[in-house]
Amino acid sequence: MTNQHPDMSPSSNQRLHGEYKVPGGKLVVADLTVTDGQLAGVSISGDFFLEPDEALLDINRALTGLPESTSAADLAAAVTAALPADAALFGFSPEAVAVTVRRALAKATSWADHHWNIIGPAVLPTEINVALDEVLTEEVGAGRRNPTLRFWDWEEPSVVIGSFQSVRNEVDPHGVSKHGIKVVRRISGGGAMFMEAGNCITYSLYLPQTLVDGLSFADSYPFLDAWVMAALEKLGITAFYVPLNDIATDQGKIGGAAQKRLANGGMLHHVTMSYDIDADKMVEVLRIGKEKLSDKGTRSARKRVDPLRRQTGLARTEIIAAMMDVFTERYGATPSALTVGELAAARERVATKFGREEWLRRVP
């Protein structure tokens, strides 16, 4: 299902080539061969800036002779150790060099190495949406589905809490009862999402972990959402990441992201952005304490979120369409749909996991 690199055996001495564009930075290129299982003839190049000039030779020498199985972290460490104390790197980093080398070795992939699918929004119960995140991440990891972008839709008002959050600490039972809120726990970490029908834009990206090979957790967030930032820019919104996982503009927070990496190599990257959130209702449903707000520069949870509707003046459907268009243009994505088997598997997961009190209250 996924486009793979051609076989490059260590004995072939075939010249290998990898490229990596640092988000917000420069292009890094690696050319090398593999001889007897070791990196040989390593040449790093690109449009980055490096001082002193001789440091480039230090980088090449540090990489030459390393086993082709060297991890991204160890490649970056070798580069760092070889750089002179006065070295200055602009537009790239030892970690970027490591990603580029791993791509040349076909141990890391780029967006263009995969055939991407995109699934538009369809109304489903929140529990099914959460279960599909697990099912589809597994399917991509197992190679049974192409890497996929899926937009959520739902009808019932819901709160989706992070995998490690405490139900009693995050959700106010009186607000939940008053407003008829469905509470569900997802597989990814991060904070609680307050979701009424039509008040959020939520999407899930299912991908192989090779796409983020060599990237830190912090760097993987903006890397995987570069396309949505470009879509928002087209709509007149300049958005940026506030580490680790908040998405904001100069007018306030607009959303947040969460991730989960599975043992079979699949990865989930999940984002919810506020479109027309009822902040008064949100603070009745969620327990948003002073500690949560202490580093946000605001005293009120109502002021933390600044919906996309107010910032764009556009319908929710128009914003989602713009996001889908940019993703399609950038990555050549083709339309897809949930299969009968995937939906059946999600319903089974609801019955055995996501719809059960044991899962919801696994952190009481």
Side-chain angles (χ1 to χ4, degrees), residues 335-352:
S336 181
L338 296 167
T339 68
V340 172
E342 289 165 346
L343 283 168
R347 286 192 289 269
E348 191 272 337
R349 298 290 172 93
V350 169
T352 60

Side-chain angles (χ1 to χ4, degrees), residues 1-245:
M1 302 288 285
T2 299
N3 296 336
Q4 299 291 333
H5 288 277
D7 180 51
M8 298 174 181
S9 61
S11 61
S12 67
N13 285 329
Q14 181 178 352
R15 196 71 178 162
L16 308 182
H17 180 85
E19 298 184 359
Y20 173 56
K21 172 65 170 61
V22 179
K26 298 297 184 178
L27 180 69
V28 184
V29 180
D31 292 285
L32 55 96
T33 60
V34 175
T35 302
D36 296 329
Q38 297 182 323
L39 307 188
V42 179
S43 175
I44 301 299
S45 60
D47 60 356
F48 50 76
F49 299 91
L50 175 64
E51 296 291 345
D53 271 12
E54 296 75 17
L56 186 59
L57 298 177
D58 294 326
I59 292 174
N60 292 338
R61 280 193 291 264
L63 295 168
T64 299
L66 292 178
E68 65 169 328
S69 59
T70 304
S71 69
D74 287 344
L75 289 170
V79 170
T80 300
L83 289 169
D86 62 344
L89 289 68
F90 301 98
F92 80 123
S93 65
E95 290 73 21
V97 173
V99 171
T100 312
V101 170
R102 296 275 292 181
R103 285 189 175 182
L105 294 167
K107 299 182 184 299
T109 56
S110 68
W111 293 91
D113 290 322
H114 304 284
H115 178 187
W116 291 88
N117 286 151
I118 186 167
I119 300 175
V123 174
L124 294 167
T126 304
E127 290 172 323
I128 294 291
N129 276 310
V130 170
L132 279 168
D133 272 1
E134 183 171 74
V135 169
L136 296 182
T137 304
E138 289 177 357
E139 291 296 288
V140 170
R144 293 187 292 264
R145 167 176 275 281
N146 288 331
T148 299
L149 169 67
R150 179 178 74 92
F151 283 87
W152 291 30
D153 220 337
W154 62 96
E155 288 182 340
E156 70 276 22
S158 306
V159 167
V160 181
I161 65 174
S163 180
F164 309 107
Q165 288 188 297
S166 161
V167 175
R168 65 168 169 256
N169 289 340
E170 299 298 329
V171 181
D172 187 316
H174 301 293
V176 166
S177 176
K178 175 182 176 181
H179 298 292
I181 305 296
K182 179 69 175 179
V183 182
V184 182
R185 184 185 296 278
R186 62 181 186 269
I187 63 170
S188 57
M193 299 148 38
F194 173 64
M195 302 167 55
E196 291 186 288
N199 80 348
C200 297
I201 294 174
T202 297
Y203 63 84
S204 295
L205 196 61
Y206 314 105
L207 60 137
Q209 293 173 36
T210 54
L211 186 63
V212 296
D213 184 274
L215 297 180
S216 68
F217 277 90
D219 288 342
S220 71
Y221 281 89
F223 173 76
L224 292 174
D225 281 332
W227 63 274
V228 82
M229 300 302 183
L232 292 173
E233 188 73 36
K234 280 192 171 185
L235 299 175
I237 298 175
T238 300
F240 49 87
Y241 257 90
V242 179
L244 173 68
N245 63 330

